[in-house]
Amino acid sequence: EDQVTQSPEALRLQEGESSSLNCSYTVSGLRGLFWYRQDPGKGPEFLFTLYSAGEEKEKERLKATLTKKESFLHITAPKPEDSATYLCAVLGNYGQNFVFGPGTRLSVLP
Amino acid sequence: DSGVTQTPKHLITATGQRVTLRCSPRSGDLSVYWYQQSLDQGLQFLIQYYNGEERAKGNILERFSAQQFPDLHSELNLSSLELGDSALYFCASSRGLAGEQYFGPGTRLTVT
């Protein structure tokens, strides 16, 4: 069974204090790993897709990386507007549905 | 704005009742997915339709059913509602059978 865990559960940063969020996964053949951002009461917003170990994607202050067992979402010099819950999901070879992790709740203080 | 629309935005109903949630996918997307998100749980996959046919089932209760119509919009029907069904219900769509999914704004269901 495909499984996804995320750490930490919650993270508080000062504005400008860079950090990383972790997504660890167990899957029977990875077809894709997906990062989403979710604001309270809103639908998840797609950020990145990663397909193979060593791949990296960047968007503004966010950079996602992938290894064979985990993915990291690096946040460089975060701003208060980066405060949200960050979700990762995997799609395995034997499933057509995403398995989502529980998310990391990020708060960036001014 | 993801291009996925959901109605209604909010729904308040009583236990035992039946409701229908509606979703229109992004233009060109053939797959529609339904998810449930409760306060104490993450996103739980319910069901997927692709071009009108059911393709995958997750943790969907027998009291819940869904369908996708020829114009590709989808409806999720929830019946014999219980207090525990109170949650955010999201619809997502993708171009093909798999790949990145784009989520709608959700319907907040409150069962009293």
Side-chain angles (χ1 to χ4, degrees):
Chain A
E1 185 182 333
D2 300 344
Q3 290 188 335
V4 180
T5 59
Q6 292 187 246
S7 62
E9 185 177 322
L11 181 63
R12 291 172 67 126
L13 299 173
Q14 290 296 133
E15 185 172 1
E17 180 186 1
S18 302
S19 189
S20 296
L21 313 182
N22 176 267
C23 169
S24 295
Y25 62 90
T26 305
V27 66
S28 302
L30 181 70
R31 280 202 283 170
L33 185 141
F34 306 83
W35 280 98
Y36 287 83
R37 168 198 169 120
Q38 185 176 24
D39 293 303
K42 303 281 180 70
E45 175 192 342
F46 171 72
L47 294 173
F48 303 109
T49 306
L50 301 166
Y51 293 104
S52 56
E55 190 175 359
E56 298 182 354
K57 294 267 180 80
E58 279 189 76
K59 179 180 178 180
E60 295 180 356
R61 295 177 292 282
L62 300 177
K63 178 179 173 181
T65 61
L66 180 65
T67 72
K68 287 188 177 178
K69 293 186 177 180
E70 56 191 352
S71 177
F72 292 93
L73 185 65
H74 307 277
I75 302 178
T76 303
K79 298 182 177 181
E81 53 262 41
D82 294 322
S83 297
T85 295
Y86 290 85
L87 301 166
C88 81
V90 297
L91 182 65
N93 276 336
Y94 299 105
Q96 287 179 348
N97 48 284
F98 283 12
V99 175
F100 275 89
T104 292
R105 193 170 61 253
L106 174 68
S107 301
V108 182
L109 309 175
Chain B
D1 184 358
S2 68
V4 178
T5 60
Q6 289 186 248
T7 57
K9 196 168 183 177
H10 300 280
L11 202 48
I12 301 175
T13 190
T15 55
Q17 295 297 304
R18 173 188 168 97
V19 297
T20 297
L21 313 183
R22 183 187 167 105
C23 166
S24 292
R26 292 187 317 159
S27 177
D29 284 1
L30 297 178
S31 275
V32 169
Y33 310 78
W34 286 98
Y35 290 85
Q36 180 191 59
Q37 187 175 44
S38 305
L39 272 176
D40 57 347
Q41 291 191 11
L43 273 168
Q44 300 292 317
F45 168 72
L46 296 178
I47 197 163
Q48 177 198 7
Y49 278 82
Y50 175 79
N51 204 20
E53 292 189 8
E54 182 185 305
R55 293 295 303 205
K57 246 181 177 178
N59 302 319
I60 188 165
L61 300 171
E62 284 192 15
R63 300 184 285 108
F64 296 0
S65 64
Q67 54 184 329
Q68 186 179 29
F69 295 87
D71 67 352
L72 300 178
H73 91 271
S74 178
E75 292 181 356
L76 179 68
N77 300 295
L78 314 176
S79 61
S80 302
L81 285 167
E82 302 174 0
L83 295 177
D85 297 327
S86 295
L88 272 167
Y89 290 85
F90 290 106
C91 164
S93 71
S94 68
R95 197 70 67 191
L97 274 171
E100 47 256 24
Q101 297 176 19
Y102 293 85
F103 283 76
T107 293
R108 181 176 294 280
L109 173 66
T110 303
V111 183
T112 62

